[in-house]
Every structure is written in C-alpha cells, then in structure tokens.
Amino acid sequence: MESNENYKNDSVSSDVTLEKLKHLLNCDNKQYPPRTYQRGSYWVLENYVRASHGNIKCYESITYTTHGDFTFLDNVIPLVARWRAPIGMSLYAPGTDFKTTLDSIRYLRECSGDDADLIKQYVTFHIYFHADHIPVSIPSSYSVLSESYKCPETPPYESVKHKDMFKNQKNLTYPINVGRNIARDAAITHFIFPSDIELYPSLHVVPKFLEMIARNDGPLLNKKPRVFPLPVFEVKEGARVPDNKTELLKMLKTKDAILFHKNICATCHTVPDMGRWEKTPGKDVLTVFSVGKRLGSFRNWEPIFIGSNREPYYEERLTWEGKRDKMTQGYQLCVRDYEFHVLSDAFLVHRPGIKVMAAARRVNHEHVTNNLISKKISRELHILFGSRDGCAM
C-alpha cells in the first residue's frame, strides 16, 4: 500500500481548507453517546461499541457507513486500513447471533495485531435486531468491553457455520436498508459514504474529497442537489486491490480488473462517460470528472456515492433477498433532479473474486418485493414526490 506522510491519518491538515469547509457546509457538530431506541419493529443499540476518535467536527472528515452480520466482519481490517477515517457499521444480530457478533467485535479490537489499534480508533459498531428476536442477555455499552477477552485461534466470525446462525435457522430475511439507515443516522460528520462492507476504497479519498469541496469550483458551483458517485470494479481472485487509479488502469488493461457486476448487470454500475474515465490517467488531485443524471441509459443505475443525510433514505420494507433494495432511493433522486458528480480519481473495488450470475435465484422473495414496489411503494412515492419522465424504480 502506498505511503504518503501528508495522508498518514487521512485527515485534512490545512487550516485554510478547514475554514473553507466550515463556512461552505455550515453543519452542526454531533456527539455520539450510546443509546437504545426503537426503529419500527427493530431495537437498535446505536454506538454500542464506540471508536476512540472522540468528537469530530462535522466538516473535517467523512464517515463510511456500512452494514452486515458477523459473517462479513473479515472485511473490517482491509476496509479500515484503506479508509483511515470514521466508519459506522450496523450489524444485524438477532437471538443467539448477538453473542457471536459481540465476540467478533472483541476479537477485532483485541486480537487483530497492528490493525486492532486502527479498529479501536475509527470503527463504531451499532447492533440491531427484531423485537421478536431479542437476545437473552445484553450487557451495557459501558461494560461490554471491560471484561477480559481471551483470543481464540479462529475468529468467531469464521468459526460459526452459516447453517448454525440463528438468522438462518429461523429463516429470517436480512433487513438491509434498516442497517443502512441506522449507520447513516448515527454518523457525526456532514458527509457520509453509504457503501457495502465488501467494497474497498482507493487510498486517501477523505482528504482529497474535502480539499476538492473546499476549492468549490467548476460543477461544484451549481446549485442543484448533488451526490458524488465512485466507479466500482472487481478484481480476480487472489489479485491485490489497487491503491490508486494508475494501478487500476493497468489491471483493467490486463483484464485482472473489470467493471463491477459486468457479468451480471453492466448497466447497473456504469457511470456517465465511463469510457473516457478509463482512458484518463490518474492524478493526485481529485476533481468532478463528469456530471450525469439517472435517466436514459442510466435509468437503472445503482450508484454508490458520497452524500449527506439530506439525501433520501433507503426503503426499510425491502430486504436483501428480494433485490431492488436501492431502486426506490434512486427514483427519488431522479425525481428531485439530483446531479451525479462522478469523481475523477476515487473508486471502489469489491473484495477479490469476479462475480458470476448466481445459479439459485430468490424467486419467492423477488416476487414479494416486486409486488410491494409496484402495488404500494410506487403509489406512495408518486403521491409524496411526484413523477418525472424517465425516472425508474
């Protein structure tokens, strides 16, 4: 991984830049105490295990918000090593999955060698579960890490088989958008980056993005609402995840890297002016490369973007199993005439391994989701937000 002392902690060091951000964003600072609250049918333990970074001014960093269950926690180490800024992670932990989740968090914080300090510094864990599946015992947030923890040979998130998970034994669906929204709401920075835990960012996104915002030139002077998508790629199994665009472009030429989901749904992740993006050499300064809309050939685009909590929420009635879990948010962005400011030199790479079309489809869950969207949610969104030609959900 490249080293650059100016970006050692991926924070903005210039007082002038910070002062510009403070003025431009005009955001409110937040603290992040632990709290327990209800979100629909779910109980949420927000900030259950807190990062040690302390209170951060809302304009001086970006929070990478993500979600999963304990089986995805092997992604935490590569993610925090590349992001080096606040990460908020919502973990679905119903019933007996709660204990394994808690043990997994302890393992990451105490048994991960040199990476443990990064995890303690930057990663805040939120836990949630349905009211019908409350764990038998829940230690307080303040006492949860006070107990001594003996490091096992195998990480807890790898030692429990999928068939033995409470979630799978009870045949529960994964409420993906509940997790997404929990992590979003808990973020203490103005800018947030809602992404998936298996997507690893290129290096130094945070300081370069904030320096770009502070320059406030070019397309950034537009007054329309906007978000900032990052192109997403896949690399071959066993390949090293590229640190920067120069490395990525070399891997695209050798076919060691391809567009994310190219073999499944290429239109879902192709950004505007993608061909030119892949031919433009990498540089140190981040800029807005192109500006697009979620219309025409991009009507089914599922952008992963840096934005804020001003953007539409994810629809919490949708599940991972039913697919289309980001499409209703995309519709709202389209109807509200959002601009998508594609970034020039920042990108995401899925954990190594090229995806192919899954053999087994989740037909029953997809049928439920399609009916819910077509018969109920679409009507609600049309009433609440209106319609615009070409906007799809």
Side-chain angles (χ1 to χ4, degrees):
M1 195 171 291
E2 68 181 29
S3 62
N4 185 328
E5 288 303 313
N6 292 331
Y7 295 112
K8 187 173 182 181
N9 295 311
D10 267 16
S11 59
V12 175
S13 57
S14 167
D15 290 339
V16 174
T17 298
L18 287 172
E19 192 60 33
K20 287 181 179 178
L21 290 167
K22 180 180 179 180
H23 172 74
L24 285 167
L25 300 182
N26 191 28
C27 53
D28 295 323
N29 294 325
K30 291 171 60 178
Q31 296 182 328
Y32 63 123
R35 70 177 182 126
T36 301
Y37 71 94
Q38 279 185 292
R39 189 181 195 103
S41 299
Y42 293 88
W43 279 102
V44 180
L45 310 179
E46 183 182 88
N47 301 322
Y48 187 59
V49 178
R50 293 185 295 170
S52 64
H53 54 57
N55 294 328
I56 292 175
K57 292 182 174 63
C58 58
Y59 53 82
E60 67 181 9
S61 194
I62 305 172
T63 303
Y64 188 111
T65 62
T66 190
H67 59 92
D69 58 39
F70 68 78
T71 63
F72 288 88
L73 287 177
D74 58 334
N75 295 286
V76 172
I77 292 173
L79 179 57
V80 71
R82 301 179 74 84
W83 188 247
R84 292 179 183 261
I87 295 174
M89 189 168 296
S90 299
L91 296 172
Y92 180 50
T96 55
D97 289 346
F98 178 84
K99 184 180 185 306
T100 309
T101 301
L102 194 51
D103 287 342
S104 297
I105 294 171
R106 287 173 168 149
Y107 181 91
L108 287 169
R109 289 172 55 98
E110 303 298 333
C111 313
S112 300
D114 294 339
D115 297 302
D117 288 340
L118 278 177
I119 293 168
K120 288 178 181 178
Q121 182 178 358
Y122 289 123
V123 185
T124 293
F125 296 94
H126 322 290
I127 297 180
Y128 69 106
F129 37 78
H130 196 280
D132 290 341
H133 306 293
I134 296 179
V136 173
S137 176
I138 303 174
S140 72
S141 176
Y142 296 103
S143 65
V144 66
L145 295 177
S146 61
E147 302 173 15
S148 61
Y149 181 72
K150 183 178 180 181
C151 296
E153 290 186 9
T154 304
Y157 47 80
E158 294 179 358
S159 59
V160 176
K161 296 179 180 178
H162 279 246
K163 67 179 181 64
D164 295 327
M165 292 176 66
F166 181 91
K167 167 183 168 290
N168 294 334
Q169 288 181 337
K170 299 295 183 181
N171 200 29
L172 304 178
T173 54
Y174 174 49
I176 185 170
N177 286 342
V178 177
R180 283 178 172 144
N181 289 340
I182 288 169
R184 273 187 50 168
D185 278 346
I188 62 175
T189 56
H190 171 81
F191 283 115
I192 56 174
F193 187 16
S195 185
D196 290 336
I197 195 171
E198 293 183 305
L199 297 179
Y200 306 158
S202 52
L203 300 191
H204 314 316
V205 172
V206 174
K208 290 182 178 181
F209 178 85
L210 294 176
E211 287 160 5
M212 180 192 76
I213 295 296
R215 290 196 302 272
N216 196 35
D217 54 12
L220 295 175
L221 295 172
N222 296 349
K223 299 302 181 183
K224 285 186 178 179
R226 66 205 175 198
V227 291
F228 300 89
L230 279 71
V232 190
F233 299 89
E234 303 176 62
V235 297
K236 288 182 177 178
E237 187 76 37
R240 179 177 172 275
V241 175
D243 291 341
N244 52 53
K245 189 175 181 181
T246 300
E247 293 181 2
L248 171 66
L249 294 184
K250 290 179 181 177
M251 295 181 72
L252 289 172
K253 286 183 178 179
T254 60
K255 308 298 184 183
D256 289 316
I258 62 172
L259 178 71
F260 185 55
H261 280 185
K262 183 177 182 179
N263 299 324
I264 300 174
C265 180
T267 59
C268 296
H269 293 283
T270 299
V271 303
D273 218 356
M274 188 73 184
R276 186 167 66 91
W277 192 97
E278 292 183 351
K279 294 176 182 176
T280 303
K283 56 184 184 297
D284 288 335
V285 177
L286 194 63
T287 61
V288 174
F289 182 82
S290 61
V291 178
K293 297 287 184 75
R294 194 174 177 272
L295 293 168
S297 60
F298 297 98
R299 66 196 305 268
N300 294 316
W301 184 21
E302 298 179 12
I304 298 177
F305 53 77
I306 296 173
S308 71
N309 263 321
R310 296 172 183 169
E311 274 65 76
Y313 278 91
Y314 300 95
E315 170 54 67
E316 296 188 8
R317 286 169 290 183
L318 302 181
T319 65
W320 174 80
E321 290 79 4
K323 301 183 178 179
R324 299 179 68 186
D325 46 80
K326 290 191 288 191
M327 299 300 282
T328 55
Q329 185 208 44
Y331 173 80
Q332 292 180 61
L333 292 168
C334 181
V335 167
R336 297 185 193 186
D337 202 24
Y338 264 74
E339 293 183 341
F340 294 83
H341 290 213
V342 179
L343 298 176
S344 62
D345 289 75
F347 56 88
L348 291 163
V349 176
H350 192 275
R351 67 180 296 168
I354 302 293
K355 283 183 170 287
V356 295
M357 184 68 75
R361 297 183 62 214
R362 307 182 290 271
V363 177
N364 291 339
H365 294 297
E366 291 173 34
H367 180 70
V368 170
T369 290
N370 292 338
N371 278 342
L372 180 61
I373 291 176
S374 63
K375 296 181 180 180
K376 187 171 179 63
I377 295 176
S378 61
R379 176 177 177 273
E380 295 171 0
L381 296 185
H382 281 104
I383 292 172
L384 290 166
F385 304 109
S387 60
R388 181 185 293 267
D389 287 344
C391 293
M393 71 175 86

